[in-house]
């Protein structure tokens, strides 16, 4: 579990999946996407339908790479807010992301520090498997709460290889949380939180995405 030790740093019981080593994470992702990070994350921005004037929340924003692209897509007039429990990530993002309308806050997905209906789009990439399993329902309920009626949700997460040496390699380097990540359970969780599930797909290198909307007239 080399990567886990390299990236996570000090354990935080309030956010056990927090990644405290921002510079190491930035270096690892630059390599892992093999030069295709920009196009992969650009695709996520388009999947979310981010457009000028939108208010967007990036949950588990890490170094702010996606938040930056989102801020550019929602300009002029929009805002992109990145949220992450790791102070080192938030600090890194604040120092490196320069796009206008971009802000970063410390916090966890399962307790979002925003008002009901504050966002048009909530998006999260490679972060959902870091939320402890027994808090994932709560995290989705929170995402639903902070979206306006008719707002959009995009969850992109790591899709581990099903078998073979690649699966063992993921377990040995990144640990069981990534090796055993069940992206096939996301759709049911999304439905249970009150979203209308729309579609799902795959992206390079090993990403699974789900897309949903909050009903325009919320029954709750
Ligand atoms: C693998 S990184 C992904 C960062 C970024 N979204 C990206 O795509 O590069 C996962 C991020 O999720 C954050 N995280 C861990 N637990 C979390 C939680 N409960 N709520 C929100 N974010 C969390 C970590 O601190 C880390 O920055």
């Amino acid at each position: 579990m080399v990567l886990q030790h390299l990236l996570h740093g000090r354990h935080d019981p309030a956010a056990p999946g927090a990644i405290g080593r921002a510079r190491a994470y930035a270096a690892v992702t630059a390599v892992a996407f093999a030069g295709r990070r920009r196009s992969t994350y650009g695709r996520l921005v388009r999947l979310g339908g981010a457009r000028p004037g939108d208010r967007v929340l990036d949950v588990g924003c890490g170094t702010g790479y996606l938040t930056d692209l989102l801020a550019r897509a929602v300009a002029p007039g929009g805002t992109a807010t990145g949220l992450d429990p790791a102070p080192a990530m938030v600090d890194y993002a604040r120092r490196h992301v320069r796009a206008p309308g971009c802000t970063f806050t410390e916090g966890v997905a399962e307790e979002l520090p925003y008002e009901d209906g504050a966002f048009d789009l909530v998006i999260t990439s490679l972060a959902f498997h870091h939320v402890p399993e027994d808090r994932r329902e709560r995290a989705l309920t929170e995402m639903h709460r902070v979206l306006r009626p008719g707002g959009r949700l995009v969850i992109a997460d790591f899709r581990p290889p099903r078998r073979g040496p690649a699966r063992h390699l993921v377990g040995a380097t990144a640990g069981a949380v990534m090796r055993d990540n069940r992206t096939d359970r996301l759709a049911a969780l999304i439905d249970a939180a009150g979203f209308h599930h729309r579609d799902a797909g795959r992206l390079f290198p090993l990403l699974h995405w789900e897309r949903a909307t909050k009903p325009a007239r919320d029954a709750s």
Side-chain angles (χ1 to χ4, degrees):
M1 300 197 297
V2 187
L3 268 184
Q4 256 192 336
H5 290 299
L6 183 72
L7 299 180
H8 281 263
R10 200 160 45 85
H11 180 75
D12 175 2
I19 292 183
R21 304 234 162 84
R23 276 176 32 202
Y25 179 75
V28 167
T29 44
V31 174
F33 280 91
R36 288 167 66 177
R37 183 160 57 152
R38 179 72 188 234
S39 60
T40 299
Y41 280 73
R43 182 79 203 289
L44 290 179
V45 172
R46 289 193 295 282
L47 279 170
R51 50 187 171 248
D54 273 354
R55 303 155 302 162
V56 181
L57 173 65
D58 178 10
V59 177
C61 63
T63 56
Y65 187 89
L66 175 63
T67 329
D68 181 46
L69 295 183
L70 288 163
R72 292 168 200 278
V74 301
T79 58
T81 304
L83 174 115
D84 202 284
M89 284 296 197
V90 171
D91 184 52
Y92 184 102
R94 282 183 183 143
R95 282 188 290 111
H96 288 82
V97 176
R98 295 265 170 262
C102 220
T103 53
F104 295 94
T105 310
E106 281 176 38
V108 290
E110 53 272 39
E111 212 170 312
L112 295 174
Y114 307 106
E115 291 184 0
D116 297 2
F119 297 99
D120 302 294
L121 167 65
V122 172
I123 190 162
T124 176
S125 73
L126 287 169
F128 204 70
H129 66 277
H130 288 288
V131 178
E133 215 164 337
D134 60 348
R135 301 185 202 167
R136 289 182 193 169
E137 254 182 66
R138 170 84 193 147
L140 276 162
T141 304
E142 278 291 272
M143 293 177 195
H144 186 272
R145 180 185 66 75
V146 302
L147 272 173
R148 66 160 168 83
R152 294 139 6 237
L153 171 76
V154 174
I155 298 186
D157 207 1
F158 181 69
R159 170 176 56 83
R162 286 223 185 125
R163 57 187 76 84
R167 184 175 171 80
H168 287 296
L169 186 66
V170 168
T173 53
V177 172
M178 281 185 85
R179 184 197 60 208
D180 300 335
N181 190 33
R182 295 289 303 268
T183 50
D184 58 327
R185 290 186 178 156
L186 277 173
L189 282 173
I190 289 169
D191 285 345
F195 288 98
H196 277 169
H197 186 250
R198 286 175 56 196
D199 50 3
R202 292 177 170 188
L203 273 178
F204 174 88
L206 284 167
L207 280 181
H208 171 91
W209 59 263
E210 298 276 350
R211 197 156 53 148
T213 51
K214 175 169 174 170
R217 306 185 76 195
D218 191 15
S220 64

